[in-house]
Amino acid sequence: NYSYCTYLDLSRVIGVSEIPSYAFDYSRLTTVYLPTTIKSINSNAFNSCANLEYVTIPETVRSIGNRAFYDCSKLENIICRIPADSLFTINSNIFAGVDKSKCLLYVPKGAKATYATTEGWAEFEKIIELNSLARYSDGFYKLSSLQDSQRSLYMFIYYIFF
């Protein structure tokens, strides 16, 4: 039972190819890292995770089911590693309830134009290519396009991409 879990790191899990329907719905998750073995995020997988703020979608994902992230109203950052040549359309109900005018969608370098014109993904108003990473002398990365109040996100990005 994951109902009281707030942090879910499956990034090193092997042999899992899908997130089942309703697997984490209504949980208290705030952060989700998905493994690169995932090919499908099934319907309602994270439905109504009202505290979910960060999620990573690995480059291996080829489908996202209806209402997978429905009513995740606090979702602020989506790290989507699906390359432009593998991007697929999504239904608008997958991220219904997410404020797409505020939620930052991070995409691979060179993929912004494809995301901005692909059904479902194009609803996000803030699509940011990951080439905006800047390295600091302490070895960490941050997103140069973020405001000072959001700079702590670089730790999250660093963990996912490096």
Side-chain angles (χ1 to χ4, degrees), residues 3-98:
S3 60
Y4 293 100
C5 180
T6 59
Y7 180 88
L8 183 66
D9 184 354
L10 300 174
S11 63
R12 292 177 176 83
V13 173
I14 58 173
V16 177
S17 63
E18 68 178 26
I19 302 295
S21 295
Y22 302 97
F24 302 102
D25 65 322
Y26 293 95
S27 70
R28 296 181 183 174
L29 290 170
T30 60
T31 305
V32 174
Y33 302 104
L34 296 176
T36 57
T37 57
I38 294 293
K39 292 182 178 16
S40 176
I41 302 170
N42 291 335
S43 63
N44 297 290
F46 297 95
N47 177 16
S48 298
C49 289
N51 296 314
L52 188 60
E53 297 175 8
Y54 303 100
V55 67
T56 62
I57 300 174
E59 64 274 10
T60 53
V61 169
R62 296 297 173 257
S63 68
I64 302 175
N66 289 328
R67 299 169 61 109
F69 296 95
Y70 176 80
D71 205 21
C72 294
S73 57
K74 290 186 180 177
L75 193 55
E76 298 173 350
N77 298 281
I78 301 169
I79 313 299
C80 190
R81 299 183 70 186
I82 301 169
D85 60 354
S86 299
L87 193 62
F88 48 89
T89 62
I90 58 173
N91 292 329
S92 61
N93 69 7
I94 289 173
F95 290 103
V98 173

Side-chain angles (χ1 to χ4, degrees), residues 7 9 11-12 33 154-162:
Y7 180 88
D9 184 354
S11 63
R12 292 177 176 83
Y33 302 104
Y154 81 88
M155 290 292 293
F156 175 72
I157 301 294
Y158 178 82
Y159 176 77
I160 296 301
F161 287 98
F162 304 101

Side-chain angles (χ1 to χ4, degrees), residues 95-145:
F95 290 103
V98 173
D99 187 346
K100 295 175 199 80
S101 68
K102 293 181 181 177
C103 183
L104 303 176
L105 175 61
Y106 297 96
V107 302
K109 183 177 181 176
K112 181 177 179 176
T114 303
Y115 276 81
T117 58
T118 301
E119 184 179 338
W121 300 106
E123 295 176 11
F124 288 90
E125 295 178 20
K126 297 181 180 180
I127 301 174
I128 302 169
E129 286 189 342
L130 290 170
N131 66 343
S132 61
L133 290 171
R135 188 171 184 153
Y136 282 77
S137 60
D138 61 3
F140 292 110
Y141 292 77
K142 74 172 186 176
L143 289 168
S144 58
S145 58

